[in-house]
Amino acid sequence: MSDGLIDPRASVLFYVVAAIGVCLAAWCARSDLHVRTVPFAALVTALIFALHTVAVPILPGVSGYVVGAAIAAILLGPFVGALSMAIVLTVQAFVFADGGLSALGANVTNMALAAVAAGFVVAVAARALLVRREVRSPLLTPTLVSLAAGFVSVFAATASFVVEYALGGATATPVENVAYLFAVHIPVALVDGLVTALVVVAVTLVHPASVFLLREQSLAARPAAHPRGVLLAGLAFAALVIAGLVSPLGASGPDALEAATLRGCTRGPDTDTGECMARRVEEHRFAGSALAGYTVGDRPGSAGVAALIGTLGTFVVAGVCFRVLAPREEKRTMASAA
């Protein structure tokens, strides 16, 4: 969401919602984090950032990208996953001018809170259903769970946006635009589910104990196919390849949300009237920054370099944040003994 898409009162409201949600997630995440799991959580966060830089064509002239909320929820759990998404969105807003500063609270509410929560709930429910039906395949189970979680998480974020716009949008929420918004997110949700399944299955096959959702299952208790170092190296390699090589090949044009909010804007978002949802949209305050628009100084052909910088920077920021939250080894040992 860009600056001005919702009014200042709604922006403040969702900043409060986001702040409360992130603080609660940080408090609860301490029990899910460990010094040894911090690199994994930071690499998953960096991978999600890299995926955000890849625009996938979903309709003529419309692109979409993997939200990654279900990836964070399944691999890291709902609390660490929410923090992971919040870190990605914050880096995007302040460094790459992607997502408005005034809308950051709303964006965190959509993708870090609502989408992660919905993805985790659906994943838990799908896993329980498969266990009840005695489906315990190390390949089929995480695939089906991830597909369902990824698909639903995208629509949870979309529904959250509709609520936010209804509370503080420039116009009465146009029914046609909302219908188009949900319709155009169907292929986005499918792509998100497929990529989520690919990532989760890969991690499950390499080191199943690292998957938060499977830690209490017998699947995670089986010997790991490879050491944890192989998993970390694989995640790092995937994130860097996606950022450096795949992101420059992404589609151009507005993403699904932008395309829906621009419907009816015949004279531009600043002057149009009627049912133009993006009537009050403003230019990002950091639009002239060095890495704005995922380029280096707006130089042609620098998208891959900018994405690599963002991926590495996100890894560092996430690693510091998670390391601060992770309890020290001696404190955890004393608590376990008690």
Side-chain angles (χ1 to χ4, degrees):
M1 294 173 58
S2 302
D3 287 319
L5 199 55
I6 57 176
D7 63 33
R9 289 181 300 176
S11 296
V12 171
L13 169 63
F14 288 105
Y15 253 108
V16 173
V17 172
I20 293 174
V22 169
C23 288
L24 288 175
W27 178 265
C28 297
R30 296 183 304 166
S31 61
D32 295 333
L33 283 169
H34 189 279
V35 173
R36 290 173 295 178
T37 64
V38 166
F40 174 70
L43 282 170
V44 170
T45 306
L47 177 62
I48 293 172
F49 176 91
L51 290 170
H52 276 212
T53 66
V54 181
V56 181
I58 57 173
L59 290 174
V62 181
S63 63
Y65 62 89
V66 176
V67 175
I71 296 175
I74 294 173
L75 294 183
L76 305 179
F79 305 119
V80 180
L83 296 179
S84 173
M85 290 298 301
I87 290 170
V88 170
L89 294 169
T90 302
V91 171
Q92 288 178 316
F94 282 92
V95 180
F96 294 90
D98 185 10
L101 300 183
S102 65
L104 180 59
N107 287 327
V108 169
T109 301
N110 293 343
M111 291 187 279
L113 301 182
V116 170
F120 187 75
V121 169
V122 170
V124 170
R127 182 194 63 176
L129 178 62
L130 293 173
V131 170
R132 184 178 302 175
R133 294 180 176 274
E134 299 184 352
V135 178
R136 300 178 183 272
S137 167
L139 190 61
L140 183 60
T141 299
T143 298
L144 295 178
V145 167
S146 301
L147 283 170
F151 190 87
V152 173
S153 66
V154 171
F155 282 103
T158 306
S160 296
F161 163 75
V162 173
V163 172
E164 290 165 355
Y165 192 86
L167 291 175
T171 68
T173 311
V175 176
E176 291 184 1
N177 290 37
V178 172
Y180 177 83
L181 178 67
F182 278 99
V184 79
H185 273 89
I186 292 176
V188 177
L190 290 173
V191 172
D192 196 286
L194 289 171
V195 174
T196 300
L198 180 63
V199 173
V200 172
V201 168
V203 174
T204 302
L205 294 178
V206 174
H207 201 277
S210 294
V211 181
F212 181 92
L213 192 68
L214 303 178
R215 286 179 185 174
E216 298 179 358
Q217 281 193 309
S218 58
L219 178 63
R222 65 186 177 87
H226 302 280
R228 183 184 293 271
V230 174
L231 172 63
L232 300 181
L235 285 173
F237 179 77
L240 295 176
V241 167
I242 292 171
L245 299 180
V246 180
S247 64
L249 304 177
S252 58
D255 62 23
L257 177 62
E258 187 178 2
T261 56
L262 286 174
R263 284 173 64 87
C265 301
T266 57
R267 290 178 292 167
D270 295 329
T271 59
D272 213 328
T273 58
E275 295 188 342
C276 175
M277 297 176 70
R279 184 194 307 171
R280 294 195 302 243
V281 165
E282 306 167 359
E283 185 180 27
H284 200 286
R285 296 178 185 176
F286 294 158
S289 62
L291 296 175
Y294 299 98
T295 61
V296 180
D298 204 25
R299 294 187 180 93
S302 62
V305 176
L308 281 173
I309 294 172
T311 300
L312 293 172
T314 301
F315 170 74
V316 172
V317 172
V320 172
C321 292
F322 294 145
R323 183 62 185 85
V324 170
L325 289 174
R328 294 182 180 179
E329 186 69 29
E330 58 268 23
K331 290 184 177 181
R332 180 182 288 270
T333 302
M334 292 175 60
S336 300

